[in-house]
Amino acid sequence: YGPIVPADVAISTRDRSPAREVCVPSPLLEPITPQKELVDRRTQQQEPPQRVWRVVPATKRPRAPAWVVGKIVHEALAAWRFPDATFEPWATARARGYGLTDADQLRNAAQRAATLLRRFRNHPLSAEMDGAERRLHEVPYHLERDGLPETGIVDALYFRDRTWTIVEFKTDRVRDDADFAALLRREDYQDQATRYASAVERLLGQHPRVILCMLNYAGHVELKTRIVET
């Protein structure tokens, strides 16, 4: 598949001795030949940044758009930041950055993001990731597949008990299993997870565990582990 370019990972919160022998390229990179590129939706959303003014409704709503809440949650998780005394001003500033100006919407965005983050912080997966020997966030990868460049960004990748685990966080509101099945038909989450697993296996030499972490599943956190197509 071509050489892996070793480098230190800039976004890392753990470097315990058992993991020092684990070499992780950053970004996960293979030499590629410029051609038509496969870029997943997550990567496409990075630039230019999405702003509310592009989708602002004709009538004023007290609720912030769901995608703004999702962006704030993902930014917080990437920084491993959870609600505290400084969270609301930070979240409000991030919401303003996405174009919100109404006070009610700003408050709503911060509150809903805080709810999802507290919910995850109280889940066992948060503690498992806290105790990981290596934990990486917003991990980009670039490789060549079937003669075409492929680019993606993995929400979180952590190493524990000799196993790499991919975690993809989703903030979609899901009512029940039928609603989740409809979500998978509507979105490319399953294909996305399969691509990420394949990329990590190819570049790190180990088949990873994959978790789709639904943060708003009938009012709780639901982990979906049978998501990768084989």
Side-chain angles (χ1 to χ4, degrees):
Y1 297 120
I4 295 175
V5 181
D8 291 334
V9 178
I11 310 174
S12 175
T13 61
R14 299 280 178 176
D15 190 16
R16 299 181 181 179
S17 56
R20 287 175 183 168
E21 71 275 9
V22 179
C23 182
V24 184
S26 177
L28 303 181
L29 182 65
E30 278 191 352
I32 58 177
T33 303
Q35 299 180 52
K36 182 179 179 181
E37 187 172 6
L38 174 61
V39 182
D40 68 19
R41 185 181 304 177
R42 174 75 188 285
T43 309
Q44 291 173 340
Q45 292 174 345
Q46 299 303 305
E47 289 191 20
Q50 191 175 10
R51 288 180 58 85
V52 171
W53 60 262
R54 296 181 178 178
V55 294
V56 66
T59 58
K60 182 178 174 181
R61 297 181 303 177
R63 283 176 65 84
W67 68 263
V68 174
V69 176
K71 289 280 192 180
I72 295 171
V73 169
H74 274 86
E75 287 190 41
L77 289 169
W80 211 237
R81 178 174 192 160
F82 298 95
D84 58 13
T86 66
F87 179 79
E88 185 170 352
W90 173 83
T92 299
R94 298 310 305 133
R96 286 187 187 279
Y98 288 114
L100 290 184
T101 58
D102 178 75
D104 290 336
Q105 287 189 326
L106 289 167
R107 189 179 307 109
N108 179 260
Q111 290 174 348
R112 285 162 59 198
T115 295
L116 296 180
L117 290 165
R118 288 193 190 96
R119 186 179 294 166
F120 174 69
R121 195 54 170 164
N122 291 327
H123 192 276
L125 179 59
S126 175
E128 181 173 321
M129 293 177 70
D130 260 336
E133 297 158 26
R134 194 78 149 189
R135 191 182 72 242
L136 315 172
H137 296 273
E138 299 289 311
V139 184
Y141 73 85
H142 311 279
L143 53 76
E144 185 173 296
R145 192 189 303 279
D146 299 327
L148 296 176
E150 178 181 312
T151 299
I153 301 174
V154 179
D155 279 350
L157 179 67
Y158 70 93
F159 185 78
R160 180 168 177 161
D161 299 331
R162 300 184 180 182
T163 301
W164 284 105
T165 299
I166 293 171
V167 181
E168 280 298 301
F169 296 103
K170 303 299 179 185
T171 58
D172 306 79
R173 184 181 179 184
V174 177
R175 294 184 298 270
D176 51 32
D177 290 346
D179 200 23
F180 178 70
L183 177 67
L184 290 187
R185 290 192 297 269
R186 188 168 64 250
E187 302 289 348
D188 70 340
Y189 294 163
Q190 194 164 10
D191 289 343
Q192 181 189 62
T194 300
R195 290 195 304 270
Y196 289 175
S198 176
V200 168
E201 181 174 15
R202 181 168 166 176
L203 292 164
L204 297 183
Q206 181 189 98
H207 185 71
R209 184 172 62 141
V210 180
I211 297 174
L212 191 63
C213 182
M214 307 299 299
L215 299 173
N216 198 12
Y217 197 106
H220 65 272
V221 174
E222 179 82 8
L223 305 184
K224 298 294 186 180
T225 56
R226 296 182 181 180
I227 190 72
V228 173
E229 298 174 342
T230 58

